[in-house]
Amino acid sequence: MKILIVDDDKEIVQLLEIYVKNEGYEPVTAFDGKEALTKLNTNPDVSLIILDIMMPEMDGIEVVKQVRKDSQIPILILSAKTADMDKIQGLITGADDYVTKPFNPLEVMARVKSLLRRSQNDVTNNTPDVLDIGPLTINKDSHEVKTINGDTISLTALEFGILYLLASHPNRVFSADDIFERVWQQESIVSAKTVMVHVSHLRDKIEEATNGEEVIETVWGVGYKIESH
């Protein structure tokens, strides 16, 4: 399994290469945004991208935008930027998770393994293969979401995970911590804003595809739910 590591700091790339190899993955490296896209095109079997934001030639945010045009590959952002708005910008653009520098490489690898599990496995094994919720049909096996008109909604693995979790438990309210622990498969630390951004992005995609249908409801001060129909 290949992991693309992108950072203009060669020492960081070399450090992550060591940890990626130790976990049994094959590292592919790039040192700026344009090179990252080239490496991705020549290595279509890359399973995940570890991506710095501040880089020459093309920054990480632009790389995410370009990748998301035709791929839902998991993306983990690494950046020295720590402000909440920087994190939110990265997530809204289409990244799946965010780690700030300086980082513990063991934490990075824990996030990598979680994202890979999320992209490969279902949220739960005890629910129907296909769910019909309002204007949506959600297929667990193919990870596809379609509208009643047959249009496909392109979701990241985490967005699909959130939608499937809520849809497979209609009327149940899940807190941000619950969603983070079930979908990210990690213990929740400071996850509310991360979950909020992903839910917001998911809502935008659903509403755009369904002419404004509000499928996911916010229960203020508690969490999120999908009503049964």
Side-chain angles (χ1 to χ4, degrees):
M1 186 177 292
K2 293 181 180 179
I3 294 178
L4 176 59
I5 304 167
V6 190
D7 199 304
D8 60 334
D9 187 325
K10 293 185 178 181
E11 291 185 0
I12 288 179
V13 171
Q14 291 170 354
L15 175 65
L16 290 174
E17 271 190 286
I18 293 171
Y19 279 84
V20 165
K21 287 179 180 178
N22 285 344
E23 293 294 338
Y25 306 122
E26 179 183 345
V28 178
T29 62
F31 299 97
D32 61 62
K34 288 187 177 179
E35 185 184 7
L37 295 180
T38 299
K39 289 291 182 72
L40 196 58
N41 288 333
T42 56
N43 294 270
D45 53 343
V46 165
S47 298
L48 181 141
I49 304 171
I50 302 174
L51 179 67
D52 185 31
I53 288 183
M54 300 299 293
M55 295 184 297
E57 300 295 333
M58 179 186 294
D59 66 20
I61 297 299
E62 185 60 31
V63 173
V64 174
K65 291 178 181 178
Q66 294 298 319
V67 171
R68 283 290 176 257
K69 288 181 179 180
D70 55 15
S71 173
Q72 298 305 323
I73 183 174
I75 299 174
L76 172 64
I77 285 181
L78 296 178
S79 178
K81 291 189 173 184
T82 58
D84 284 343
M85 285 310 298
D86 291 322
K87 297 180 182 179
I88 290 171
Q89 175 63 34
L91 293 171
I92 287 177
T93 304
D96 296 285
D97 205 353
Y98 194 111
V99 175
T100 55
K101 299 177 182 178
F103 57 81
N104 183 332
L106 293 175
E107 179 189 359
V108 173
M109 293 314 302
R111 300 285 185 95
V112 164
K113 287 186 280 188
S114 177
L115 289 173
L116 289 172
R117 286 197 302 270
R118 177 68 271 125
S119 67
Q120 294 168 353
N121 300 326
D122 299 318
V123 177
T124 177
N125 294 320
N126 299 315
T127 48
D129 291 338
V130 178
L131 297 173
D132 291 309
I133 296 290
L136 304 178
T137 297
I138 306 167
N139 190 307
K140 181 173 73 171
D141 290 333
S142 65
H143 276 223
E144 285 186 332
V145 179
K146 293 188 176 183
T147 68
I148 55 177
N149 296 324
D151 298 325
T152 299
I153 303 176
S154 179
L155 302 180
T156 66
L158 289 173
E159 289 165 355
F160 182 90
I162 293 169
L163 179 61
Y164 194 85
L165 174 65
L166 298 178
S168 61
H169 298 82
N171 304 316
R172 176 175 170 180
V173 180
F174 287 88
S175 69
D177 286 342
D178 289 336
I179 293 172
F180 191 90
E181 290 178 2
R182 286 170 176 258
V183 176
W184 274 255
Q185 297 181 359
Q186 298 177 30
E187 182 180 354
S188 175
I189 303 175
V190 184
S191 59
K193 288 183 179 178
T194 297
V195 173
M196 177 189 70
V197 170
H198 282 278
V199 170
S200 176
H201 206 194
L202 174 59
R203 278 176 166 155
D204 289 344
K205 290 182 178 181
I206 292 172
E207 291 178 11
E208 181 179 357
T210 61
N211 295 319
E213 291 271 1
E214 295 184 8
V215 175
I216 300 174
E217 297 183 23
T218 298
V219 180
W220 294 106
V222 183
Y224 306 93
K225 70 175 181 177
I226 291 179
E227 291 281 359
S228 59
H229 292 77

